[in-house]
mmCIF file of all heavy atoms in Angstrom:
data_model
loop_
_atom_site.group_PDB
_atom_site.id
_atom_site.type_symbol
_atom_site.label_atom_id
_atom_site.label_comp_id
_atom_site.label_asym_id
_atom_site.label_seq_id
_atom_site.Cartn_x
_atom_site.Cartn_y
_atom_site.Cartn_z
ATOM 1 N N PRO A 180 39.851 22.781 -61.397
ATOM 2 C CA PRO A 180 38.920 21.836 -60.764
ATOM 3 C C PRO A 180 37.452 22.256 -60.894
ATOM 4 O O PRO A 180 36.573 21.404 -60.997
ATOM 5 C CB PRO A 180 39.374 21.826 -59.300
ATOM 6 C CG PRO A 180 40.830 22.132 -59.378
ATOM 7 C CD PRO A 180 40.952 23.151 -60.477
ATOM 8 N N LEU A 181 37.179 23.556 -60.912
ATOM 9 C CA LEU A 181 35.801 24.019 -61.085
ATOM 10 C C LEU A 181 35.277 23.653 -62.473
ATOM 11 O O LEU A 181 34.131 23.214 -62.623
ATOM 12 C CB LEU A 181 35.724 25.532 -60.883
ATOM 13 C CG LEU A 181 36.107 26.075 -59.504
ATOM 14 C CD1 LEU A 181 36.088 27.604 -59.530
ATOM 15 C CD2 LEU A 181 35.184 25.538 -58.426
ATOM 16 N N PHE A 182 36.124 23.837 -63.498
ATOM 17 C CA PHE A 182 35.722 23.518 -64.858
ATOM 18 C C PHE A 182 35.524 22.018 -65.030
ATOM 19 O O PHE A 182 34.588 21.579 -65.702
ATOM 20 C CB PHE A 182 36.766 24.039 -65.845
ATOM 21 C CG PHE A 182 36.770 25.534 -65.976
ATOM 22 C CD1 PHE A 182 37.514 26.320 -65.121
ATOM 23 C CD2 PHE A 182 36.001 26.159 -66.948
ATOM 24 C CE1 PHE A 182 37.507 27.698 -65.224
ATOM 25 C CE2 PHE A 182 35.990 27.531 -67.069
ATOM 26 C CZ PHE A 182 36.742 28.313 -66.201
ATOM 27 N N GLN A 183 36.405 21.229 -64.413
ATOM 28 C CA GLN A 183 36.268 19.778 -64.520
ATOM 29 C C GLN A 183 34.994 19.302 -63.831
ATOM 30 O O GLN A 183 34.288 18.434 -64.344
ATOM 31 C CB GLN A 183 37.491 19.083 -63.923
ATOM 32 C CG GLN A 183 37.469 17.567 -64.057
ATOM 33 C CD GLN A 183 37.448 17.110 -65.516
ATOM 34 O OE1 GLN A 183 38.177 17.656 -66.340
ATOM 35 N NE2 GLN A 183 36.609 16.131 -65.830
ATOM 36 N N GLN A 184 34.687 19.881 -62.669
ATOM 37 C CA GLN A 184 33.460 19.497 -61.973
ATOM 38 C C GLN A 184 32.228 19.835 -62.812
ATOM 39 O O GLN A 184 31.296 19.032 -62.925
ATOM 40 C CB GLN A 184 33.362 20.215 -60.626
ATOM 41 C CG GLN A 184 32.098 19.887 -59.839
ATOM 42 C CD GLN A 184 32.056 18.437 -59.401
ATOM 43 O OE1 GLN A 184 32.970 17.971 -58.709
ATOM 44 N NE2 GLN A 184 31.023 17.711 -59.804
ATOM 45 N N ALA A 185 32.231 21.024 -63.411
ATOM 46 C CA ALA A 185 31.093 21.423 -64.251
ATOM 47 C C ALA A 185 30.951 20.488 -65.446
ATOM 48 O O ALA A 185 29.830 20.167 -65.867
ATOM 49 C CB ALA A 185 31.266 22.869 -64.716
ATOM 50 N N TYR A 186 32.063 20.044 -65.994
ATOM 51 C CA TYR A 186 32.029 19.125 -67.130
ATOM 52 C C TYR A 186 31.474 17.770 -66.692
ATOM 53 O O TYR A 186 30.676 17.158 -67.404
ATOM 54 C CB TYR A 186 33.430 18.979 -67.702
ATOM 55 C CG TYR A 186 33.500 18.307 -69.054
ATOM 56 C CD1 TYR A 186 32.674 18.695 -70.098
ATOM 57 C CD2 TYR A 186 34.426 17.287 -69.298
ATOM 58 C CE1 TYR A 186 32.744 18.096 -71.345
ATOM 59 C CE2 TYR A 186 34.515 16.681 -70.545
ATOM 60 C CZ TYR A 186 33.674 17.087 -71.563
ATOM 61 O OH TYR A 186 33.747 16.476 -72.796
ATOM 62 N N ARG A 187 31.861 17.308 -65.524
ATOM 63 C CA ARG A 187 31.318 16.048 -65.004
ATOM 64 C C ARG A 187 29.820 16.172 -64.752
ATOM 65 O O ARG A 187 29.059 15.223 -64.963
ATOM 66 C CB ARG A 187 32.035 15.671 -63.699
ATOM 67 C CG ARG A 187 33.522 15.385 -63.842
ATOM 68 C CD ARG A 187 33.786 14.093 -64.547
ATOM 69 N NE ARG A 187 33.317 12.939 -63.800
ATOM 70 C CZ ARG A 187 33.550 11.688 -64.141
ATOM 71 N NH1 ARG A 187 34.270 11.423 -65.218
ATOM 72 N NH2 ARG A 187 33.087 10.691 -63.424
ATOM 73 N N ASP A 188 29.386 17.355 -64.331
ATOM 74 C CA ASP A 188 27.967 17.559 -64.060
ATOM 75 C C ASP A 188 27.119 17.508 -65.327
ATOM 76 O O ASP A 188 25.900 17.359 -65.256
ATOM 77 C CB ASP A 188 27.747 18.903 -63.354
ATOM 78 C CG ASP A 188 28.208 18.886 -61.905
ATOM 79 O OD1 ASP A 188 28.480 17.783 -61.384
ATOM 80 O OD2 ASP A 188 28.319 19.969 -61.296
ATOM 81 N N LEU A 189 27.764 17.630 -66.486
ATOM 82 C CA LEU A 189 27.040 17.464 -67.747
ATOM 83 C C LEU A 189 26.738 15.998 -68.036
ATOM 84 O O LEU A 189 26.014 15.687 -68.983
ATOM 85 C CB LEU A 189 27.871 18.028 -68.912
ATOM 86 C CG LEU A 189 28.023 19.540 -69.018
ATOM 87 C CD1 LEU A 189 28.904 19.889 -70.208
ATOM 88 C CD2 LEU A 189 26.666 20.215 -69.147
ATOM 89 N N GLY A 190 27.333 15.097 -67.250
ATOM 90 C CA GLY A 190 27.148 13.676 -67.472
ATOM 91 C C GLY A 190 28.231 13.065 -68.325
ATOM 92 O O GLY A 190 28.095 11.939 -68.804
ATOM 93 N N THR A 191 29.326 13.803 -68.535
ATOM 94 C CA THR A 191 30.433 13.290 -69.335
ATOM 95 C C THR A 191 31.426 12.540 -68.454
ATOM 96 O O THR A 191 31.454 12.702 -67.251
ATOM 97 C CB THR A 191 31.167 14.450 -70.027
ATOM 98 O OG1 THR A 191 31.758 15.279 -69.022
ATOM 99 C CG2 THR A 191 30.217 15.278 -70.863
ATOM 100 N N GLY A 192 32.241 11.721 -69.097
ATOM 101 C CA GLY A 192 33.258 10.992 -68.358
ATOM 102 C C GLY A 192 34.657 11.388 -68.751
ATOM 103 O O GLY A 192 35.610 10.710 -68.408
ATOM 104 N N GLY A 193 34.800 12.467 -69.484
ATOM 105 C CA GLY A 193 36.098 12.839 -70.012
ATOM 106 C C GLY A 193 36.783 13.956 -69.248
ATOM 107 O O GLY A 193 36.398 14.332 -68.147
ATOM 108 N N TYR A 194 37.806 14.484 -69.880
ATOM 109 C CA TYR A 194 38.652 15.520 -69.287
ATOM 110 C C TYR A 194 38.344 16.824 -70.019
ATOM 111 O O TYR A 194 38.499 16.914 -71.240
ATOM 112 C CB TYR A 194 40.123 15.123 -69.464
ATOM 113 C CG TYR A 194 41.115 15.943 -68.672
ATOM 114 C CD1 TYR A 194 41.188 15.798 -67.288
ATOM 115 C CD2 TYR A 194 41.983 16.816 -69.306
ATOM 116 C CE1 TYR A 194 42.119 16.529 -66.556
ATOM 117 C CE2 TYR A 194 42.911 17.550 -68.581
ATOM 118 C CZ TYR A 194 42.978 17.398 -67.203
ATOM 119 O OH TYR A 194 43.895 18.118 -66.484
ATOM 120 N N PHE A 195 37.927 17.843 -69.277
ATOM 121 C CA PHE A 195 37.431 19.050 -69.932
ATOM 122 C C PHE A 195 38.483 19.745 -70.784
ATOM 123 O O PHE A 195 38.174 20.252 -71.876
ATOM 124 C CB PHE A 195 36.868 20.034 -68.913
ATOM 125 C CG PHE A 195 36.427 21.329 -69.551
ATOM 126 C CD1 PHE A 195 35.327 21.347 -70.401
ATOM 127 C CD2 PHE A 195 37.127 22.508 -69.349
ATOM 128 C CE1 PHE A 195 34.925 22.519 -71.026
ATOM 129 C CE2 PHE A 195 36.734 23.682 -69.967
ATOM 130 C CZ PHE A 195 35.633 23.694 -70.805
ATOM 131 N N ASN A 196 39.712 19.786 -70.340
ATOM 132 C CA ASN A 196 40.717 20.490 -71.138
ATOM 133 C C ASN A 196 40.927 19.817 -72.495
ATOM 134 O O ASN A 196 41.197 20.494 -73.490
ATOM 135 C CB ASN A 196 42.049 20.587 -70.394
ATOM 136 C CG ASN A 196 42.947 21.646 -70.995
ATOM 137 O OD1 ASN A 196 42.559 22.805 -71.148
ATOM 138 N ND2 ASN A 196 44.166 21.257 -71.368
ATOM 139 N N ASP A 197 40.801 18.499 -72.558
ATOM 140 C CA ASP A 197 40.849 17.817 -73.857
ATOM 141 C C ASP A 197 39.706 18.301 -74.746
ATOM 142 O O ASP A 197 39.888 18.537 -75.942
ATOM 143 C CB ASP A 197 40.745 16.305 -73.673
ATOM 144 C CG ASP A 197 41.992 15.696 -73.048
ATOM 145 O OD1 ASP A 197 43.035 16.369 -73.008
ATOM 146 O OD2 ASP A 197 41.905 14.537 -72.590
ATOM 147 N N ARG A 198 38.517 18.414 -74.161
ATOM 148 C CA ARG A 198 37.367 18.896 -74.933
ATOM 149 C C ARG A 198 37.591 20.337 -75.394
ATOM 150 O O ARG A 198 37.269 20.693 -76.535
ATOM 151 C CB ARG A 198 36.106 18.806 -74.076
ATOM 152 C CG ARG A 198 34.829 19.289 -74.785
ATOM 153 C CD ARG A 198 34.544 18.471 -76.029
ATOM 154 N NE ARG A 198 33.230 18.801 -76.595
ATOM 155 C CZ ARG A 198 32.810 18.376 -77.766
ATOM 156 N NH1 ARG A 198 33.586 17.609 -78.523
ATOM 157 N NH2 ARG A 198 31.611 18.704 -78.219
#
Side-chain angles (χ1 to χ4, degrees):
L181 298 175
F182 288 87
Q183 183 61 43
Q184 179 66 57
Y186 193 48
R187 296 289 295 187
D188 287 348
L189 289 179
T191 64
Y194 192 71
F195 176 68
N196 197 54
D197 290 345
R198 180 60 172 170

